[in-house]
Amino acid sequence: MRRAFFWFAALFSCLFLFSGCTSSPPESSPGGTSPEAWGNIPFLDGQLYAVAHLGYQEMTELEHYTEQYLGGIQVPVHYFSSGDYYLVIPRYSGMSLSLYQNNIETSASTLVYEDHDCQPFVLQCNASDIFPDATIRLVHRDQTAEFSPFLSLKDGSLDIGPYGLDLTEKTVSGS
């Protein structure tokens, strides 16, 4: 009788121990990605990232965008040259990021940073209006997006490639 009680108590204890080791997986879509992981960003089909222009040589709107779209998190800043600041927000968790620095003299691109689970970041680049000194490559499953963010000399619009969403809020001054 004592032996049966001992085995019952041991089995019961093990059940309690193992019940604390399980957790429910986070909500995600098939494949482990979390679409619209960053809240209320109005992504359209086919868009893999969002970009906001934050200013030239000074980040004037970073706090606004991080509060509105990222829950106020701090984001790392990558400095390539003293040009424009861009906030880049990947659409899916688990996206792979490669940052390349482009050389104006040799036209060569050098990989300077990689992250296999890319989080939002800021990039300062493009000291020259005629040559983009940064290339961003984002990979999600079998999709690859590669772009060099820049402001158009023609009309000042943000060029971020065909897979990006421009989050930059335009301010219109009244007369």
Side-chain angles (χ1 to χ4, degrees):
M1 173 98 162
R2 280 188 157 178
R3 183 181 270 180
F5 178 76
F6 172 74
W7 285 109
F8 178 74
L11 179 63
F12 194 68
S13 297
C14 287
L15 288 175
F16 277 115
L17 287 173
F18 289 122
S19 68
C21 294
T22 61
S23 63
S24 58
E27 288 185 26
S28 63
S29 63
T33 59
S34 301
E36 288 80 21
W38 298 111
N40 59 355
I41 297 175
F43 285 112
L44 300 175
D45 286 344
Q47 292 178 325
L48 297 176
Y49 54 89
V51 179
H53 181 255
L54 302 176
Y56 177 71
Q57 293 189 343
E58 189 176 329
M59 285 187 279
T60 57
E61 299 294 322
L62 179 60
E63 186 175 337
H64 166 73
Y65 289 106
T66 58
E67 288 296 323
Q68 183 169 349
Y69 297 110
L70 304 175
I73 67 166
Q74 290 189 338
V75 295
V77 179
H78 301 278
Y79 297 97
F80 278 26
S81 61
S82 62
D84 292 296
Y85 283 96
Y86 301 96
L87 172 63
V88 180
I89 305 170
R91 181 174 185 170
Y92 300 105
S93 62
M95 290 185 81
S96 176
L97 165 69
S98 300
L99 286 179
Y100 296 88
Q101 189 159 23
N102 305 324
N103 186 313
I104 193 169
E105 294 174 11
T106 65
S107 297
S109 295
T110 304
L111 178 65
V112 295
Y113 181 79
E114 281 186 300
D115 185 352
H116 297 292
D117 189 13
C118 179
Q119 299 297 309
F121 64 94
V122 171
L123 176 65
Q124 184 183 21
C125 60
N126 299 342
S128 168
D129 288 336
I130 59 171
F131 182 79
D133 61 1
T135 299
I136 300 168
R137 178 182 292 156
L138 292 166
V139 178
H140 176 253
R141 295 184 184 163
D142 62 343
Q143 298 177 300
T144 299
E146 189 171 287
F147 66 101
S148 297
F150 68 91
L151 295 177
S152 168
L153 292 176
K154 178 180 175 184
D155 62 6
S157 64
L158 179 59
D159 190 324
I160 54 171
Y163 302 107
L165 168 65
D166 182 358
L167 285 180
T168 308
E169 296 175 5
K170 312 296 187 245
T171 55
V172 179
S173 57
S175 47

